Amino acid sequence: MKMKSGSVYATLNKSRPGVFVLLDPDRTPINKIAQLTQSVCEQGVHGILIGTSLLVSPQFDAFVSTVKQSADKPVVLFPGGSHQISSQADAVFFLSLLSGRNAQFLIGEQVKAVFLIREYDLEVIPVGYILIEPGNYTAVEYISNTRPIPRTKPEIAVAHALAGEYLGMKYIYLEAGSGAEKPVPIDMVKEVKQTISIPLIVGGGIRTAKDARDIIQAGADYIVLGSIVEKSEDQFKEIMESIG
Ligand code: 1GP
């Protein structure tokens, strides 16, 4: 059953530090998604994000619906654009790509999505989304047509995060990008966490228990695991156990 609108953010906030798993409809075949969802929920994740940079799959709604039916945790859309809105989810991360200077992802896609979001009565969770240089060229950088913040400039990330808080965002999300060669630098996580007073999400390129622990110890309220969940169930379990 869908969660009551307004209850998702409060529910998530009870489990900090926590882990979100990102399920990408372009990477996970729909016939495997029910089993994968049940398995990650059993491992103790706190929420499931669904989204992708492009969306090639024509079965987005069915994908979200299957995840929702198989999950006992909040299911939250993490849309790469206004075409990734589904009535089947509990909530939507209403992302603004603050680190970019591309109006399409700062406000354009959001304007196109609002009427569907209202129609579907999705809980809206505003998120300041900040891309950090990952050491390689990622899909999110290409599709968003924006430049990430340099890894060696934590003060620029801090300024964007604080601007996001002042704009009324409920989360700041530091994102290296799915498949990032390197996760967000630890010092940057620390400096952003010390500056803002809203919860901090960190994702992209987290593949080992050490990565996960270091990022949480640096102050992340939530980490996001994507590729590793699909690539290695054992590695994913090891990460979950190590931050248990
Ligand atoms: C991407 O942060 C998420 O938005 C997950 O990244 O696939 O590299 O884990 P990975």
Side-chain angles (χ1 to χ4, degrees):
M1 217 175 70
K2 251 179 97 139
M3 291 178 69
K4 198 166 168 296
S5 185
S7 64
V8 176
Y9 185 71
T11 303
L12 292 176
N13 270 340
K14 285 183 202 144
S15 31
R16 290 194 273 161
V19 177
F20 298 151
V21 158
L22 171 66
L23 298 177
D24 182 328
D26 282 346
R27 284 202 306 239
T28 310
I30 196 153
N31 59 353
K32 297 205 173 137
I33 198 62
Q35 191 270 328
L36 184 62
T37 303
Q38 280 161 15
S39 157
V40 298
C41 287
E42 279 160 20
Q43 293 299 315
V45 303
H46 300 94
I48 301 211
L49 309 183
I50 301 178
T52 186
S53 291
L54 187 57
L55 191 61
V56 177
S57 164
Q59 296 172 298
F60 184 67
D61 230 34
F63 186 95
V64 180
S65 171
T66 309
V67 172
K68 178 62 196 159
Q69 283 163 32
S70 316
D72 59 1
K73 301 288 157 48
V75 174
V76 181
L77 300 173
F78 174 57
S82 56
H83 58 307
Q84 295 175 33
I85 301 298
S86 165
S87 61
Q88 310 293 320
D90 295 308
V92 56
F93 276 180
F94 202 66
L95 303 165
S96 180
L97 181 47
L98 299 179
S99 54
R101 298 295 179 267
N102 178 351
Q104 182 191 353
F105 291 98
L106 269 168
I107 186 63
E109 291 298 311
Q110 295 81 346
V111 168
K112 288 195 278 179
V114 289
F115 293 118
L116 264 190
I117 289 173
R118 186 177 62 176
E119 175 72 22
Y120 295 160
D121 195 24
L122 293 170
E123 178 174 334
V124 175
I125 303 174
V127 177
Y129 191 49
I130 298 175
L131 278 192
I132 309 300
E133 187 191 348
N136 57 341
Y137 192 30
T138 61
V140 62
E141 180 177 351
Y142 176 76
I143 297 288
S144 69
N145 199 14
T146 65
R147 298 195 71 186
I149 291 173
R151 299 180 65 75
T152 53
K153 300 288 178 193
E155 68 279 13
I156 299 181
V158 165
H160 282 75
L162 199 51
E165 177 168 341
Y166 291 168
L167 282 165
M169 301 298 179
K170 287 191 172 175
Y171 289 130
I172 293 299
Y173 189 146
L174 293 180
E175 169 73 282
S178 190
E181 192 178 294
K182 294 177 257 186
V184 176
I186 297 302
D187 286 352
M188 190 180 274
V189 175
K190 274 188 195 157
E191 287 193 35
V192 168
K193 179 62 187 176
Q194 280 162 13
T195 306
I196 60 173
S197 56
I198 53 177
L200 176 63
I201 304 171
V202 179
I206 302 172
R207 295 185 193 86
T208 66
K210 183 176 183 324
D211 290 340
R213 272 197 315 266
D214 287 353
I215 289 170
I216 287 172
Q217 272 165 19
D221 294 283
Y222 306 95
I223 57 166
V224 182
L225 302 175
S227 318
I228 198 65
V229 179
E230 298 144 21
K231 281 194 187 129
S232 167
E233 210 163 318
D234 290 347
Q235 188 76 6
F236 170 66
K237 279 184 186 163
E238 194 183 312
I239 295 176
M240 291 304 294
E241 279 161 18
S242 84
I243 56 182

